[in-house]
Amino acid sequence: MRKNIWVLQCLLLLECFLVLKIEAIVQEKADAAIPITTLSPPEGNTTFLGGTTWCVALAGVSQIDLQNALDWACGLGMADCRAIQEGGACFEPNTLLSHASYAFNNYYQQNGNSDIACNFGGTATLTKSNPSYGKCNYAAAGLGSLHSSVASWSKHSPNMVWWKLVGILLLLYLRR
């Protein structure tokens, strides 16, 4: 009887894994179908800048272009935008310019601090002045941006689901 329960549990976990894997494949195909033309960094030579720099939104640009660039940075650009969500350390001031600046900088820091990673369709610029304020800390080159890159990678890695499933199956097997 115990062996039958264990087999049933394994089958249920395997079914869950397959459903998650299929959903991930469907989402990948859906994402691949969306053309990205103006907001991804341009191709060409990468010039790394000396010193500490931050990427911020340009004041006075079109609000529509700024919103599109922010949506790209927090979506397909995979910037960590949790801090600009309601209740986050950088939510206030609740302005498009402020939120875009935070997201642009997060993307810039995760992508090597190169001048081409601070473009966003012409809605961003580099600065040597730290834009951090109050409890809102803008990442700069070093551990902060490395931590953000690792967190972003692990949150989007389908292999993490597989390893969790293997661990659960191993625990169930050892328990019997």
Side-chain angles (χ1 to χ4, degrees):
M1 179 68 171
R2 256 184 103 103
K3 189 173 184 179
N4 290 341
I5 292 173
W6 186 82
V7 170
L8 182 60
Q9 288 174 330
C10 288
L11 289 173
L12 287 172
L13 284 172
L14 186 57
E15 184 179 349
C16 289
F17 173 73
L18 291 174
V19 168
L20 288 173
K21 191 69 173 172
I22 289 169
E23 286 177 358
I25 291 169
V26 168
Q27 185 61 45
E28 277 181 33
K29 287 185 179 185
D31 289 346
I34 301 170
I36 302 297
T37 54
T38 59
L39 299 177
S40 58
E43 294 180 16
N45 294 331
T46 302
T47 305
F48 291 92
L49 301 171
T52 303
T53 54
W54 294 266
C55 179
V56 295
L58 273 171
V61 298
S62 157
Q63 295 288 294
I64 293 170
D65 290 343
L66 198 57
Q67 183 66 58
N68 288 337
L70 173 61
D71 292 343
W72 184 88
C74 293
L76 294 175
M78 292 196 286
D80 183 357
C81 296
R82 291 176 290 187
I84 57 174
Q85 301 300 311
E86 191 166 357
C90 301
F91 180 72
E92 295 293 339
N94 183 11
T95 65
L96 182 56
L97 190 67
S98 176
H99 290 182
S101 290
Y102 182 86
F104 292 175
N105 185 66
N106 187 273
Y107 177 87
Y108 169 73
Q109 300 299 335
Q110 287 184 35
N111 288 280
N113 302 78
S114 66
D115 58 350
I116 63 170
C118 184
N119 184 336
F120 300 98
T123 63
T125 188
L126 291 171
T127 182
K128 290 188 181 267
S129 299
N130 187 345
S132 299
Y133 57 92
K135 292 182 181 178
C136 180
N137 292 312
Y138 279 59
L143 291 178
S145 59
L146 176 63
H147 177 268
S148 296
S149 296
V150 170
S152 177
W153 172 82
S154 65
K155 128 177 121 172
H156 295 286
S157 175
N159 290 333
M160 298 303 281
V161 173
W162 171 247
W163 285 112
K164 287 177 185 177
L165 178 65
V166 168
I168 291 169
L169 288 173
L170 183 60
L171 286 173
L172 288 171
Y173 178 77
L174 293 174
R175 231 179 72 189
R176 57 177 203 124

